[in-house]
Amino acid sequence: MQKPFLAIDRVTKKFGSVTALRSVSLNVGPDELLVVLGPTGAGKTTLLRTIAGLEAPQEGTIQMAGEDVTSRTPAERDVALVFQDFSLYPNWTVRRNLEFPLRAPGRRLSEDEIAQRVSWAAELLKIAGLLDRRSQRLSGGEMQRVAIGRAIVRRPRVFLMDEPLTNLDAKLREALRVELVCLRRELKTPMVYVTHDQVEALSMGDRIVVLGEGRVLQTGSPEDIFRRPVSPVVARQLGQPAINLLKVERSGGAWVADNGVAVAAAGEGGGNSMILGVRPEDIQPRGGEREARVTLVEDMGPTKILLVDWGGCNVHIVAPATADIHQGDTIHPQVDPERIILWPEQTI
Amino acid sequence: MVSQRTGLLKYGFVGPALVVLIVLNIFPLLYNVVLSFTDAELVGGGARYVGGSNYSRVFSTAEFVEAIRTTAVFVAAAVSIELCLGFCLALALQRGFRGKSAILTVLLIPMMLSPAVMALFWHQILSGDYGILNHILAAVGLGQPEWLTAPGLKLISILMIDVWMWTPFMMLIALAGLNSIPQYIYEAAEIDRAGAWRIFRRITLPMCAPLLALAVLLRTTDALKQFDLVMAVTGPNDAATQTLSALLFQKVFGDGKTGLGSAYACVLLVIVIALASVFTRYIDFIQRKQGKTQQ
């Protein structure tokens, strides 16, 4: 791997008696988009604010380009942070919002240069027509574009994004997500992108860090995290509908669940009591031995999500939209044995 | 049926307040205007209509010009010192720290005490012979000015007391203004590499401005009427400290010339209304600039 641009080493941050980050370490390469994924309260925002310099960690160090910046101010770190709630300067026009970071002391830019950068950013984010509008008269999507614009005009050393798309409606979110990825490729600036949205994490991230209760649970490529999660907690973070988790015992060459259903053939090695995870799209509705009842069918358009009562446990199955399956039907689910994930029982 | 009853009820609720307002506010105001055109005196009846002669006397006496000057100096100095001090205190108190609420409470005490009590209290401090201030000054080897009797110092003493009394008021309003600025704006500005001065100049000050203007308006109209401190410290008939209100008190209750005093009161009223309308327009202007009234 390339020498990391941003290196966070065993950072711990406490707020009174609450520990938000527990010895978090991670690296971001010079041209990498690192997604930090985790549920609410996992410490994602705290991590970002600590990188930005808005919070000082109690322990650990933060390095940027090989320099220790742990005790430096946000201004000295030269990072750009886009907040979830847009945080534009109220009562100012879009243009003034974009110019503000360019007029910072010590940044001697000519008026021409400022105007040029503002129009460049406005062009890129398609807000050129809004430059003279006051910030509080913008829609949510426009506000977030301006906020991103305010971050990119500066050409910072790192981009930090705190769930920038969460407060937008679904359609806009998708459009802006694509734009962000393209934008970052163009700017070639490292980015740390915090989200709780698995679609954003999987589609945008070069690598993903999964955070839970202030700890790094797993770091890896989207493929790694999705296919080889280190624990059921990580596995549950990704996938819609969520992964099926079953307690299984080895019995007669098969993994058998509590209810006596033989889920899949058991290979060699591993313990006898395991947690078995299988994603809903890795179960076929037909071809298995044991029967199951379909209790609910959710038609999602291209697919159908089935909630199935399989000998007493509820299992989600993703079936093609063309499958002729209805509520109350009896099916015979079959698990793809290549796709199952096993963890020792105590990891739950 | 119902509407008729609620109709009566509504007058029932508003009525008493209206009566009190008319008896205690509207009537005295109008009566004052009427009196200002007569030669009414405090003792003895028989007021005659004298036209505008009271007003021409008001504007032709040196006393009036002097009182305007004294009042203007006092208002300008008091309000600006209180504004600056109050805003600085608010900035210092903005961040949370141990004992903040205790300090706030102590700072608010002067505002809650009666001005008469305050003036007596300061009399003890400023007295030339036994005052504690001069004791302290003597102890550190400085001169012992006659705070309450030297002509050049009397107004300054009153100013000092007023500042001491009303700075907490400015501080409270400034604090409310500062607290209304969301934290995220400061953080965004910090990320945008704005220095402390730039953040203060571009964000803190403009966002506090409407509230500060309101505080200045309230304090100015109040300081224009400055009377109680003057009365308690030097008495109403001291040339060095005679504000407009003290002058009109002197005319009515000292000289017994109610008609002339009423004319002074009317002039003072017009001045206050004029200044207040300038300020409210300014506040309106700021708010419109910030787009608050557009929505």
Side-chain angles (χ1 to χ4, degrees):
Chain A
M1 192 184 141
Q2 283 173 291
K3 203 162 178 284
F5 175 78
L6 175 71
I8 294 159
D9 189 28
R10 282 165 290 171
V11 161
T12 296
K13 174 70 193 173
K14 293 176 188 157
F15 295 101
S17 60
V18 180
T19 307
L21 297 176
R22 297 165 203 266
S23 194
V24 168
S25 299
L26 54 90
N27 293 323
V28 185
D31 187 18
E32 188 178 36
L33 197 162
L34 181 78
V35 169
V36 178
L37 180 71
T40 308
K44 306 185 299 289
T45 297
T46 306
L47 174 64
L48 216 54
R49 291 171 58 87
T50 310
I51 299 173
L54 293 171
E55 307 285 354
Q58 272 84 12
E59 287 165 39
T61 58
I62 298 168
Q63 289 195 339
M64 281 170 72
E67 272 177 277
D68 188 340
V69 297
T70 317
S71 54
R72 302 242 179 110
T73 63
E76 287 166 337
R77 297 185 194 195
D78 198 7
V79 297
L81 175 56
V82 175
F83 298 83
Q84 182 181 343
D85 47 12
F86 319 138
S87 61
L88 298 180
Y89 304 108
N91 311 324
W92 290 11
T93 60
V94 169
R95 187 190 304 280
R96 206 165 162 215
N97 265 286
L98 293 178
E99 284 174 352
F100 188 74
L102 297 176
R103 296 188 191 277
R107 195 187 274 278
R108 293 208 182 77
L109 292 175
S110 67
E111 286 301 313
D112 280 354
E113 173 82 20
I114 289 176
Q116 196 193 325
R117 284 214 202 173
V118 167
S119 60
W120 165 76
E123 208 64 50
L124 206 58
L125 291 162
K126 304 181 184 71
I127 47 172
L130 304 172
L131 280 175
D132 293 310
R133 197 173 292 182
R134 289 190 184 283
S135 59
Q136 72 268 41
R137 309 195 119 217
L138 300 172
S139 71
E142 291 165 344
M143 281 197 196
Q144 198 56 297
R145 277 162 202 267
V146 176
I148 292 168
R150 204 176 58 190
I152 65 171
V153 284
R154 300 172 33 189
R155 319 235 164 105
R157 299 205 291 169
V158 187
F159 282 115
L160 306 173
M161 303 261 171
D162 187 3
E163 309 206 21
L165 307 181
T166 304
N167 290 350
L168 305 178
D169 63 68
K171 216 169 165 184
L172 203 56
R173 198 181 310 155
E174 205 166 307
L176 219 47
R177 190 173 71 217
V178 174
E179 279 175 43
L180 266 179
V181 171
C182 297
L183 187 68
R184 198 199 61 90
R185 282 212 190 107
E186 194 167 319
L187 298 174
K188 293 193 170 31
T189 307
M191 183 186 288
V192 181
Y193 188 101
V194 159
T195 185
H196 69 263
D197 183 313
Q198 49 142 349
V199 178
E200 281 174 26
L202 289 171
S203 64
M204 297 177 76
D206 295 326
R207 277 191 310 143
I208 298 177
V209 168
V210 182
L211 223 55
E213 291 175 349
R215 264 184 246 278
V216 173
L217 301 178
Q218 189 173 359
T219 307
S221 66
E223 165 82 14
D224 266 346
I225 306 276
F226 191 73
R227 283 292 159 210
R228 290 174 286 281
V230 294
S231 69
V233 176
V234 175
R236 264 197 297 261
Q237 280 290 314
L238 292 169
Q240 178 62 39
I243 193 167
N244 296 301
L245 295 172
L246 301 164
K247 240 183 209 180
V248 292
E249 298 276 346
R250 187 194 291 272
S251 164
W255 293 115
V256 178
D258 297 354
N259 53 20
V261 177
V263 181
E268 297 298 309
N272 287 327
S273 277
M274 305 291 270
I275 305 286
L276 182 145
V278 59
R279 299 213 173 263
E281 50 276 29
D282 297 330
I283 308 178
Q284 300 297 321
R286 303 197 200 281
E289 286 165 14
R290 183 71 180 260
E291 64 182 32
R293 259 179 93 73
V294 177
T295 46
L296 189 70
V297 178
E298 281 180 275
D299 201 332
M300 307 301 283
T303 56
K304 279 178 179 165
I305 297 174
L306 314 176
L307 180 61
V308 170
D309 180 352
W310 200 11
C313 30
N314 285 324
V315 174
H316 275 110
I317 298 175
V318 173
T322 50
D324 185 24
I325 298 172
H326 303 279
Q327 196 168 323
D329 286 0
T330 302
I331 57 170
H332 295 81
Q334 186 183 28
V335 172
D336 181 348
E338 301 287 305
R339 294 290 200 175
I340 61 168
I341 312 162
L342 290 162
W343 301 279
E345 199 173 7
Q346 59 272 20
T347 51
I348 214 164
Chain B
M1 264 316 273
V2 175
S3 70
Q4 200 181 354
R5 198 181 290 169
T6 54
L8 278 176
L9 195 64
K10 125 184 128 186
Y11 290 113
F13 278 126
V14 175
L18 209 60
V19 169
V20 169
L21 194 70
I22 289 171
V23 170
L24 295 180
N25 259 329
I26 313 274
F27 170 71
L29 182 69
L30 294 178
Y31 189 54
N32 180 71
V33 175
V34 172
L35 277 180
S36 72
F37 290 100
T38 69
D39 63 353
E41 302 215 336
L42 201 55
V43 281
R48 279 181 305 118
Y49 176 74
V50 293
S53 71
N54 282 331
Y55 287 94
S56 54
R57 269 181 73 189
V58 166
F59 289 109
S60 61
T61 50
E63 273 175 318
F64 177 70
V65 178
E66 193 54 31
I68 291 228
R69 206 188 62 86
T70 308
T71 310
V73 168
F74 175 79
V75 169
V79 174
S80 49
I81 294 173
E82 283 158 19
L83 176 67
C84 293
L85 272 182
F87 194 55
C88 290
L89 272 175
L91 283 173
L93 286 173
Q94 191 193 1
R95 288 172 189 217
F97 53 86
R98 275 177 79 94
K100 177 180 168 178
S101 56
I103 289 182
L104 257 179
T105 312
V106 170
L107 281 173
L108 292 184
I109 290 175
M111 215 173 80
M112 297 174 192
L113 292 174
S114 137
V117 173
M118 201 72 48
L120 283 176
F121 180 46
W122 275 88
H123 232 276
Q124 306 287 315
I125 295 175
L126 296 176
S127 161
D129 306 323
Y130 56 85
I132 188 149
L133 180 60
N134 276 0
H135 268 288
I136 294 172
L137 289 179
V140 296
L142 291 170
Q144 299 181 31
E146 291 291 331
W147 294 105
L148 300 175
T149 48
L153 284 178
K154 284 187 275 196
L155 190 64
I156 291 177
S157 297
I158 292 176
L159 193 63
M160 243 158 64
I161 304 175
D162 195 78
V163 165
W164 187 74
M165 269 181 80
W166 289 108
T167 297
F169 170 78
M170 286 289 194
M171 179 199 72
L172 263 192
I173 294 194
L175 208 52
L178 289 176
N179 287 339
S180 72
I181 304 175
Q183 186 62 27
Y184 74 78
I185 294 187
Y186 288 120
E187 290 182 345
E190 217 180 322
I191 293 284
D192 281 343
R193 307 181 75 188
W197 169 245
R198 201 171 139 78
I199 291 178
F200 178 77
R201 177 80 187 69
R202 300 275 169 221
I203 291 167
T204 313
L205 211 51
M207 293 191 77
C208 276
L211 263 186
L212 290 181
L214 184 70
V216 167
L217 164 70
L218 292 174
R219 271 309 295 143
T220 304
T221 51
D222 207 39
L224 276 170
K225 300 179 291 184
Q226 177 52 256
F227 170 72
D228 28 29
L229 289 179
V230 174
M231 182 73 180
V233 172
T234 63
N237 202 20
D238 189 316
T241 62
Q242 195 167 49
T243 56
L244 272 174
S245 298
L247 179 62
L248 92 87
F249 177 89
Q250 177 61 26
K251 288 297 162 210
V252 176
F253 297 99
D255 305 349
K257 299 199 182 303
T258 317
L260 183 60
S262 299
Y264 275 110
C266 285
V267 171
L268 181 57
L269 181 72
V270 169
I271 294 176
V272 171
I273 291 176
L275 276 176
S277 71
V278 168
F279 272 118
T280 45
R281 247 161 236 207
Y282 175 66
I283 292 172
D284 222 38
F285 167 73
I286 297 180
Q287 284 188 339
R288 192 158 305 148
K289 208 171 108 190
Q290 300 194 341
K292 277 182 188 155
T293 47
Q294 292 171 0
Q295 290 155 23

PDB file of all heavy atoms in Angstrom, chain A residues 248-251 253-255 265-275 340-346:
ATOM      1  N   VAL A 248     -26.195 -22.649  14.785  1.00  0.00           N
ATOM      2  CA  VAL A 248     -26.180 -24.009  14.218  1.00  0.00           C
ATOM      3  C   VAL A 248     -25.233 -24.927  14.985  1.00  0.00           C
ATOM      4  O   VAL A 248     -24.288 -24.469  15.622  1.00  0.00           O
ATOM      5  CB  VAL A 248     -25.771 -23.991  12.727  1.00  0.00           C
ATOM      6  CG1 VAL A 248     -26.840 -23.327  11.879  1.00  0.00           C
ATOM      7  CG2 VAL A 248     -24.423 -23.299  12.546  1.00  0.00           C
ATOM      8  N   GLU A 249     -25.526 -26.218  14.890  1.00  0.00           N
ATOM      9  CA  GLU A 249     -24.676 -27.267  15.481  1.00  0.00           C
ATOM     10  C   GLU A 249     -24.248 -28.201  14.346  1.00  0.00           C
ATOM     11  O   GLU A 249     -25.017 -28.456  13.421  1.00  0.00           O
ATOM     12  CB  GLU A 249     -25.490 -28.104  16.485  1.00  0.00           C
ATOM     13  CG  GLU A 249     -26.033 -27.331  17.659  1.00  0.00           C
ATOM     14  CD  GLU A 249     -25.023 -27.178  18.777  1.00  0.00           C
ATOM     15  OE1 GLU A 249     -23.989 -27.898  18.756  1.00  0.00           O
ATOM     16  OE2 GLU A 249     -25.253 -26.328  19.662  1.00  0.00           O
ATOM     17  N   ARG A 250     -23.015 -28.728  14.491  1.00  0.00           N
ATOM     18  CA  ARG A 250     -22.591 -29.725  13.509  1.00  0.00           C
ATOM     19  C   ARG A 250     -23.280 -31.050  13.845  1.00  0.00           C
ATOM     20  O   ARG A 250     -23.245 -31.508  14.972  1.00  0.00           O
ATOM     21  CB  ARG A 250     -21.077 -29.898  13.588  1.00  0.00           C
ATOM     22  CG  ARG A 250     -20.490 -30.769  12.512  1.00  0.00           C
ATOM     23  CD  ARG A 250     -19.075 -31.150  12.895  1.00  0.00           C
ATOM     24  NE  ARG A 250     -18.187 -29.978  12.847  1.00  0.00           N
ATOM     25  CZ  ARG A 250     -17.547 -29.603  11.745  1.00  0.00           C
ATOM     26  NH1 ARG A 250     -17.702 -30.261  10.620  1.00  0.00           N
ATOM     27  NH2 ARG A 250     -16.743 -28.573  11.775  1.00  0.00           N
ATOM     28  N   SER A 251     -23.930 -31.626  12.860  1.00  0.00           N
ATOM     29  CA  SER A 251     -24.635 -32.872  13.128  1.00  0.00           C
ATOM     30  C   SER A 251     -24.751 -33.669  11.838  1.00  0.00           C
ATOM     31  O   SER A 251     -25.370 -33.212  10.863  1.00  0.00           O
ATOM     32  CB  SER A 251     -26.030 -32.567  13.691  1.00  0.00           C
ATOM     33  OG  SER A 251     -26.839 -33.711  13.600  1.00  0.00           O
ATOM     34  N   GLY A 253     -22.621 -34.297   9.412  1.00  0.00           N
ATOM     35  CA  GLY A 253     -22.088 -33.702   8.179  1.00  0.00           C
ATOM     36  C   GLY A 253     -22.847 -32.487   7.698  1.00  0.00           C
ATOM     37  O   GLY A 253     -22.683 -32.055   6.565  1.00  0.00           O
ATOM     38  N   ALA A 254     -23.709 -31.932   8.550  1.00  0.00           N
ATOM     39  CA  ALA A 254     -24.447 -30.733   8.128  1.00  0.00           C
ATOM     40  C   ALA A 254     -24.525 -29.755   9.290  1.00  0.00           C
ATOM     41  O   ALA A 254     -24.348 -30.126  10.448  1.00  0.00           O
ATOM     42  CB  ALA A 254     -25.846 -31.103   7.668  1.00  0.00           C
ATOM     43  N   TRP A 255     -24.761 -28.481   8.942  1.00  0.00           N
ATOM     44  CA  TRP A 255     -25.031 -27.472   9.959  1.00  0.00           C
ATOM     45  C   TRP A 255     -26.527 -27.470  10.206  1.00  0.00           C
ATOM     46  O   TRP A 255     -27.315 -27.204   9.315  1.00  0.00           O
ATOM     47  CB  TRP A 255     -24.572 -26.101   9.511  1.00  0.00           C
ATOM     48  CG  TRP A 255     -23.074 -25.977   9.375  1.00  0.00           C
ATOM     49  CD1 TRP A 255     -22.362 -25.766   8.242  1.00  0.00           C
ATOM     50  CD2 TRP A 255     -22.126 -26.055  10.435  1.00  0.00           C
ATOM     51  NE1 TRP A 255     -21.025 -25.709   8.502  1.00  0.00           N
ATOM     52  CE2 TRP A 255     -20.841 -25.890   9.854  1.00  0.00           C
ATOM     53  CE3 TRP A 255     -22.215 -26.280  11.828  1.00  0.00           C
ATOM     54  CZ2 TRP A 255     -19.668 -25.921  10.596  1.00  0.00           C
ATOM     55  CZ3 TRP A 255     -21.041 -26.298  12.558  1.00  0.00           C
ATOM     56  CH2 TRP A 255     -19.782 -26.125  11.950  1.00  0.00           C
ATOM     57  N   ALA A 265     -24.418 -28.122   4.138  1.00  0.00           N
ATOM     58  CA  ALA A 265     -23.443 -29.168   4.429  1.00  0.00           C
ATOM     59  C   ALA A 265     -22.280 -28.566   5.195  1.00  0.00           C
ATOM     60  O   ALA A 265     -21.854 -27.444   4.907  1.00  0.00           O
ATOM     61  CB  ALA A 265     -22.956 -29.779   3.126  1.00  0.00           C
ATOM     62  N   ALA A 266     -21.781 -29.308   6.205  1.00  0.00           N
ATOM     63  CA  ALA A 266     -20.677 -28.801   7.006  1.00  0.00           C
ATOM     64  C   ALA A 266     -19.371 -29.332   6.453  1.00  0.00           C
ATOM     65  O   ALA A 266     -19.235 -30.524   6.200  1.00  0.00           O
ATOM     66  CB  ALA A 266     -20.857 -29.215   8.460  1.00  0.00           C
ATOM     67  N   GLY A 267     -18.403 -28.417   6.261  1.00  0.00           N
ATOM     68  CA  GLY A 267     -17.087 -28.843   5.812  1.00  0.00           C
ATOM     69  C   GLY A 267     -16.255 -29.302   7.000  1.00  0.00           C
ATOM     70  O   GLY A 267     -16.746 -29.422   8.120  1.00  0.00           O
ATOM     71  N   GLU A 268     -14.953 -29.530   6.704  1.00  0.00           N
ATOM     72  CA  GLU A 268     -14.046 -29.924   7.777  1.00  0.00           C
ATOM     73  C   GLU A 268     -13.650 -28.702   8.593  1.00  0.00           C
ATOM     74  O   GLU A 268     -13.740 -27.573   8.133  1.00  0.00           O
ATOM     75  CB  GLU A 268     -12.787 -30.552   7.170  1.00  0.00           C
ATOM     76  CG  GLU A 268     -13.045 -31.831   6.388  1.00  0.00           C
ATOM     77  CD  GLU A 268     -13.628 -32.932   7.273  1.00  0.00           C
ATOM     78  OE1 GLU A 268     -13.041 -33.188   8.341  1.00  0.00           O
ATOM     79  OE2 GLU A 268     -14.680 -33.500   6.904  1.00  0.00           O
ATOM     80  N   GLY A 269     -13.182 -28.948   9.807  1.00  0.00           N
ATOM     81  CA  GLY A 269     -12.629 -27.871  10.632  1.00  0.00           C
ATOM     82  C   GLY A 269     -13.702 -27.022  11.280  1.00  0.00           C
ATOM     83  O   GLY A 269     -14.894 -27.162  11.011  1.00  0.00           O
ATOM     84  N   GLY A 270     -13.245 -26.133  12.179  1.00  0.00           N
ATOM     85  CA  GLY A 270     -14.168 -25.269  12.906  1.00  0.00           C
ATOM     86  C   GLY A 270     -14.761 -25.994  14.082  1.00  0.00           C
ATOM     87  O   GLY A 270     -14.564 -27.201  14.276  1.00  0.00           O
ATOM     88  N   GLY A 271     -15.491 -25.255  14.881  1.00  0.00           N
ATOM     89  CA  GLY A 271     -16.067 -25.836  16.082  1.00  0.00           C
ATOM     90  C   GLY A 271     -17.345 -26.576  15.774  1.00  0.00           C
ATOM     91  O   GLY A 271     -17.710 -26.782  14.611  1.00  0.00           O
ATOM     92  N   ASN A 272     -18.004 -26.976  16.825  1.00  0.00           N
ATOM     93  CA  ASN A 272     -19.269 -27.667  16.640  1.00  0.00           C
ATOM     94  C   ASN A 272     -20.471 -26.736  16.762  1.00  0.00           C
ATOM     95  O   ASN A 272     -21.496 -26.962  16.134  1.00  0.00           O
ATOM     96  CB  ASN A 272     -19.392 -28.798  17.648  1.00  0.00           C
ATOM     97  CG  ASN A 272     -18.455 -29.938  17.273  1.00  0.00           C
ATOM     98  OD1 ASN A 272     -18.212 -30.188  16.088  1.00  0.00           O
ATOM     99  ND2 ASN A 272     -17.897 -30.596  18.284  1.00  0.00           N
ATOM    100  N   SER A 273     -20.340 -25.718  17.620  1.00  0.00           N
ATOM    101  CA  SER A 273     -21.418 -24.742  17.768  1.00  0.00           C
ATOM    102  C   SER A 273     -21.000 -23.448  17.095  1.00  0.00           C
ATOM    103  O   SER A 273     -20.002 -22.854  17.482  1.00  0.00           O
ATOM    104  CB  SER A 273     -21.678 -24.461  19.250  1.00  0.00           C
ATOM    105  OG  SER A 273     -22.512 -25.438  19.772  1.00  0.00           O
ATOM    106  N   MET A 274     -21.741 -23.027  16.091  1.00  0.00           N
ATOM    107  CA  MET A 274     -21.344 -21.848  15.333  1.00  0.00           C
ATOM    108  C   MET A 274     -22.537 -20.933  15.086  1.00  0.00           C
ATOM    109  O   MET A 274     -23.678 -21.320  15.258  1.00  0.00           O
ATOM    110  CB  MET A 274     -20.768 -22.256  13.959  1.00  0.00           C
ATOM    111  CG  MET A 274     -19.619 -23.230  13.995  1.00  0.00           C
ATOM    112  SD  MET A 274     -18.111 -22.504  14.666  1.00  0.00           S
ATOM    113  CE  MET A 274     -17.343 -21.872  13.169  1.00  0.00           C
ATOM    114  N   ILE A 275     -22.204 -19.686  14.687  1.00  0.00           N
ATOM    115  CA  ILE A 275     -23.233 -18.796  14.150  1.00  0.00           C
ATOM    116  C   ILE A 275     -23.084 -18.846  12.644  1.00  0.00           C
ATOM    117  O   ILE A 275     -21.986 -18.650  12.121  1.00  0.00           O
ATOM    118  CB  ILE A 275     -23.017 -17.336  14.595  1.00  0.00           C
ATOM    119  CG1 ILE A 275     -22.919 -17.216  16.112  1.00  0.00           C
ATOM    120  CG2 ILE A 275     -24.110 -16.438  14.022  1.00  0.00           C
ATOM    121  CD1 ILE A 275     -24.219 -17.368  16.821  1.00  0.00           C
ATOM    122  N   ILE A 340     -22.078 -19.318   2.603  1.00  0.00           N
ATOM    123  CA  ILE A 340     -22.358 -19.171   4.036  1.00  0.00           C
ATOM    124  C   ILE A 340     -21.115 -18.658   4.768  1.00  0.00           C
ATOM    125  O   ILE A 340     -19.991 -18.842   4.323  1.00  0.00           O
ATOM    126  CB  ILE A 340     -22.831 -20.494   4.686  1.00  0.00           C
ATOM    127  CG1 ILE A 340     -21.756 -21.571   4.557  1.00  0.00           C
ATOM    128  CG2 ILE A 340     -24.162 -20.927   4.124  1.00  0.00           C
ATOM    129  CD1 ILE A 340     -22.044 -22.790   5.409  1.00  0.00           C
ATOM    130  N   ILE A 341     -21.356 -17.934   5.849  1.00  0.00           N
ATOM    131  CA  ILE A 341     -20.270 -17.414   6.674  1.00  0.00           C
ATOM    132  C   ILE A 341     -20.469 -18.004   8.067  1.00  0.00           C
ATOM    133  O   ILE A 341     -21.596 -18.054   8.572  1.00  0.00           O
ATOM    134  CB  ILE A 341     -20.321 -15.878   6.751  1.00  0.00           C
ATOM    135  CG1 ILE A 341     -20.486 -15.281   5.345  1.00  0.00           C
ATOM    136  CG2 ILE A 341     -19.086 -15.327   7.422  1.00  0.00           C
ATOM    137  CD1 ILE A 341     -20.968 -13.859   5.353  1.00  0.00           C
ATOM    138  N   LEU A 342     -19.363 -18.468   8.670  1.00  0.00           N
ATOM    139  CA  LEU A 342     -19.469 -19.087   9.994  1.00  0.00           C
ATOM    140  C   LEU A 342     -18.587 -18.347  10.994  1.00  0.00           C
ATOM    141  O   LEU A 342     -17.469 -17.947  10.676  1.00  0.00           O
ATOM    142  CB  LEU A 342     -19.018 -20.547   9.910  1.00  0.00           C
ATOM    143  CG  LEU A 342     -19.960 -21.482   9.133  1.00  0.00           C
ATOM    144  CD1 LEU A 342     -19.222 -22.739   8.735  1.00  0.00           C
ATOM    145  CD2 LEU A 342     -21.202 -21.807   9.942  1.00  0.00           C
ATOM    146  N   TRP A 343     -19.145 -18.102  12.168  1.00  0.00           N
ATOM    147  CA  TRP A 343     -18.347 -17.521  13.250  1.00  0.00           C
ATOM    148  C   TRP A 343     -18.505 -18.409  14.479  1.00  0.00           C
ATOM    149  O   TRP A 343     -19.575 -18.996  14.686  1.00  0.00           O
ATOM    150  CB  TRP A 343     -18.846 -16.137  13.612  1.00  0.00           C
ATOM    151  CG  TRP A 343     -18.819 -15.151  12.499  1.00  0.00           C
ATOM    152  CD1 TRP A 343     -17.756 -14.440  12.055  1.00  0.00           C
ATOM    153  CD2 TRP A 343     -19.928 -14.745  11.691  1.00  0.00           C
ATOM    154  NE1 TRP A 343     -18.117 -13.615  11.026  1.00  0.00           N
ATOM    155  CE2 TRP A 343     -19.456 -13.787  10.784  1.00  0.00           C
ATOM    156  CE3 TRP A 343     -21.285 -15.107  11.646  1.00  0.00           C
ATOM    157  CZ2 TRP A 343     -20.269 -13.183   9.845  1.00  0.00           C
ATOM    158  CZ3 TRP A 343     -22.095 -14.496  10.721  1.00  0.00           C
ATOM    159  CH2 TRP A 343     -21.589 -13.545   9.824  1.00  0.00           C
ATOM    160  N   PRO A 344     -17.471 -18.490  15.303  1.00  0.00           N
ATOM    161  CA  PRO A 344     -17.640 -19.186  16.574  1.00  0.00           C
ATOM    162  C   PRO A 344     -18.770 -18.535  17.369  1.00  0.00           C
ATOM    163  O   PRO A 344     -18.998 -17.323  17.250  1.00  0.00           O
ATOM    164  CB  PRO A 344     -16.301 -18.989  17.282  1.00  0.00           C
ATOM    165  CG  PRO A 344     -15.346 -18.574  16.234  1.00  0.00           C
ATOM    166  CD  PRO A 344     -16.126 -17.972  15.116  1.00  0.00           C
ATOM    167  N   GLU A 345     -19.457 -19.320  18.178  1.00  0.00           N
ATOM    168  CA  GLU A 345     -20.680 -18.838  18.817  1.00  0.00           C
ATOM    169  C   GLU A 345     -20.475 -17.596  19.682  1.00  0.00           C
ATOM    170  O   GLU A 345     -21.337 -16.729  19.747  1.00  0.00           O
ATOM    171  CB  GLU A 345     -21.291 -19.965  19.661  1.00  0.00           C
ATOM    172  CG  GLU A 345     -22.730 -19.714  19.967  1.00  0.00           C
ATOM    173  CD  GLU A 345     -23.344 -20.931  20.646  1.00  0.00           C
ATOM    174  OE1 GLU A 345     -22.608 -21.874  20.981  1.00  0.00           O
ATOM    175  OE2 GLU A 345     -24.542 -20.929  20.835  1.00  0.00           O
ATOM    176  N   GLN A 346     -19.320 -17.491  20.344  1.00  0.00           N
ATOM    177  CA  GLN A 346     -19.158 -16.392  21.307  1.00  0.00           C
ATOM    178  C   GLN A 346     -18.954 -15.029  20.641  1.00  0.00           C
ATOM    179  O   GLN A 346     -18.909 -14.024  21.325  1.00  0.00           O
ATOM    180  CB  GLN A 346     -18.009 -16.677  22.288  1.00  0.00           C
ATOM    181  CG  GLN A 346     -16.652 -16.874  21.660  1.00  0.00           C
ATOM    182  CD  GLN A 346     -16.422 -18.337  21.284  1.00  0.00           C
ATOM    183  OE1 GLN A 346     -17.356 -19.136  21.141  1.00  0.00           O
ATOM    184  NE2 GLN A 346     -15.169 -18.721  21.114  1.00  0.00           N
TER     185      GLN A 346
END
